[in-house]
Amino acid sequence: MPSDRETLLDMGFSSAKVTIALHKTSNSGLQPAMDWLFAHAEDPEPTEEEVAKIVSNQGSTLGGSTGDAANTGEPSDEGEISAEQATAQSLKCDDCGKIFRDSNGAQLHAMRSQHQNFSESTDIIKPLTAEEKAAKLVELQARLTQRREEKRKQEEEERKKQEKVRRVTGKEMTQLKEKIKEQEMQKALEAKKKEKEEEKRAREKIKAQIEADKKERARKRCSLQAEERKHGVSNQQSLPTSPTVATPAPSVGAATYTQSRLQIRDPTLPPITQSFPIATPLSEVYSFVSSKINKPVGTFKLAMTFPRKLLESGPETLESVGLVPSGVLVVQ
């Protein structure tokens, strides 16, 4: 009758793993050893040192129990039943009907299946035939394949969960970045809008000032013309009647003014009012404006508002360009 070790070796298990399996299960039978081999099928192949260490740690216990079995006639570690033993040849699980060589196999079965009802049996466990060995090996391989498949599915599920978490996290990060970008764009638009409104108010203020200056100049012209007409009528009345031709009254124009009152406007500064002699060249006006706006001459231009005209820095005088008795210059 082949032993459990020979049966496991015939099924294709390595000698080292068979040795460890039998020692780990206390030689409680073929099925417990096969169960242990199945549970540790993916363990690396043990070295000779590991096998020797396990055998040396448990050899004394196994040797003592074997000697006791030989002396007392009790079942050996391999579960063999001798003729001198009592009529009970094995143990049977009343819950599922499985038969075991000795109490070690029954206890291992009870721990795994939670079955509690066992009884003695006269049935003798026969050694496995070649077909049964092959069937056991196929069953073991199928269980190992099933376990590997379950592990693969578990890993695949874990990978899917991690990928789902990664996608959710990535989506949240993208949404957060888009929200921050949108807020920044909104702030930029609001700042641009505010800037345009300020520019609009400044332009409207300049236009209002220009209109006020126009009205003031028109009022002054009307007042001046009325004064001229008044003086003209008085002179004609005071002259004696004679056939001589009347001399036209001299017109009161820019030549009668010695000062030019200029208002200089810069969008970034309050209006600047300054009086210049009518013979002041534009170059001096440019120098004066440069000192007030802190910009060097050549980096800006001065323009008349009415009539619209761009003035260059040069020898031309205020009188020659028509800025007498007053005028408005805009810094550009």
Side-chain angles (χ1 to χ4, degrees):
M1 177 185 299
S3 64
D4 292 341
R5 178 180 180 83
E6 293 173 348
T7 301
L8 293 172
L9 291 174
D10 291 343
M11 294 176 68
F13 295 105
S14 66
S15 176
K17 280 196 172 183
V18 169
T19 301
I20 294 176
L22 292 174
H23 280 76
K24 289 292 184 181
T25 58
S26 301
N27 288 319
S28 57
L30 180 62
Q31 186 63 43
M34 289 180 63
D35 291 340
W36 187 94
L37 288 169
F38 166 72
H40 297 80
E42 297 182 359
D43 292 354
E45 187 70 19
T47 62
E48 294 181 359
E49 290 78 5
E50 293 174 344
V51 175
K53 184 177 180 181
I54 294 174
V55 172
S56 63
N57 290 338
Q58 298 184 1
S60 59
T61 303
L62 292 175
S65 61
T66 303
D68 294 341
N71 295 331
T72 60
E74 293 180 358
S76 66
D77 291 337
E78 297 180 352
E80 296 177 354
I81 301 174
S82 63
E84 292 79 11
Q85 289 178 312
T87 55
Q89 304 294 325
S90 58
L91 292 175
K92 180 179 180 181
C93 177
D94 296 334
D95 294 329
C96 63
K98 288 185 177 181
I99 299 176
F100 305 93
R101 280 189 174 90
D102 51 26
S103 60
N104 291 330
Q107 290 176 0
L108 184 61
H109 174 72
M111 292 173 60
R112 293 185 177 181
S113 63
Q114 301 299 320
H115 294 171
Q116 298 180 357
N117 300 316
F118 293 87
S119 61
E120 294 181 346
S121 174
T122 57
D123 295 335
I124 300 176
I125 300 177
K126 298 180 180 180
L128 296 177
T129 63
E131 292 78 6
E132 290 173 340
K133 291 178 182 179
K136 284 284 186 180
L137 181 59
V138 170
E139 179 186 357
L140 182 62
Q141 291 175 347
R143 291 168 65 184
L144 180 60
T145 301
Q146 181 181 1
R147 182 180 178 185
R148 287 175 178 173
E149 181 65 18
E150 291 175 354
K151 184 177 180 181
R152 186 192 66 79
K153 289 182 178 179
Q154 184 179 0
E155 292 176 351
E156 181 68 17
E157 288 295 328
E158 186 66 23
R159 187 190 65 79
K160 289 181 179 179
K161 291 180 180 179
Q162 293 177 355
E163 179 66 17
K164 186 177 180 181
V165 171
R166 186 189 66 80
R167 290 182 178 180
V168 171
T169 304
K171 185 177 180 181
E172 291 176 351
M173 289 297 296
T174 302
Q175 291 176 349
L176 181 60
K177 290 180 179 179
E178 291 178 352
K179 185 176 180 180
I180 294 174
K181 185 177 180 181
E182 183 179 352
Q183 291 176 350
E184 291 177 351
M185 290 180 63
Q186 186 67 24
K187 289 180 180 179
L189 290 174
E190 291 177 355
K192 189 68 175 178
K193 184 179 179 181
K194 184 178 180 181
E195 181 181 352
K196 288 183 177 180
E197 290 177 353
E198 291 177 352
E199 291 178 355
K200 183 179 179 181
R201 286 194 295 268
R203 287 194 299 268
E204 290 176 350
K205 186 177 180 180
I206 293 174
K207 289 181 180 179
Q209 187 64 39
I210 291 173
E211 290 295 327
D213 291 342
K214 287 181 180 180
K215 292 179 180 180
E216 180 65 20
R217 286 196 296 271
R219 186 189 65 78
K220 288 181 179 181
R221 282 196 299 269
C222 291
S223 177
L224 183 60
Q225 290 174 359
E227 189 70 23
E228 289 176 353
R229 287 194 297 268
K230 181 179 179 181
H231 284 290
V233 172
S234 299
N235 291 335
Q236 289 178 2
Q237 291 177 352
S238 63
L239 290 175
T241 57
S242 64
T244 59
V245 178
T247 303
S251 61
V252 180
T256 61
Y257 293 93
T258 60
Q259 295 287 323
S260 175
R261 186 173 181 272
L262 298 181
Q263 187 180 75
I264 302 164
R265 297 176 182 172
D266 188 322
T268 62
L269 297 172
I272 303 171
T273 303
Q274 182 68 24
S275 295
F276 297 90
I278 62 175
T280 302
L282 292 177
S283 59
E284 291 186 14
V285 178
Y286 264 88
S287 299
F288 172 78
V289 175
S290 174
S291 66
K292 293 296 182 180
I293 65 175
N294 295 324
K295 292 182 181 178
V297 177
T299 60
F300 64 92
K301 296 290 183 181
L302 296 177
M304 296 174 58
T305 58
F306 184 81
R308 189 72 175 177
K309 182 180 179 181
L310 189 65
L311 303 179
E312 298 290 342
S313 176
E316 289 184 287
T317 64
L318 297 177
E319 183 179 14
S320 64
V321 297
L323 290 173
V324 177
S326 64
V328 178
L329 296 179
V330 180
V331 179
Q332 295 183 347

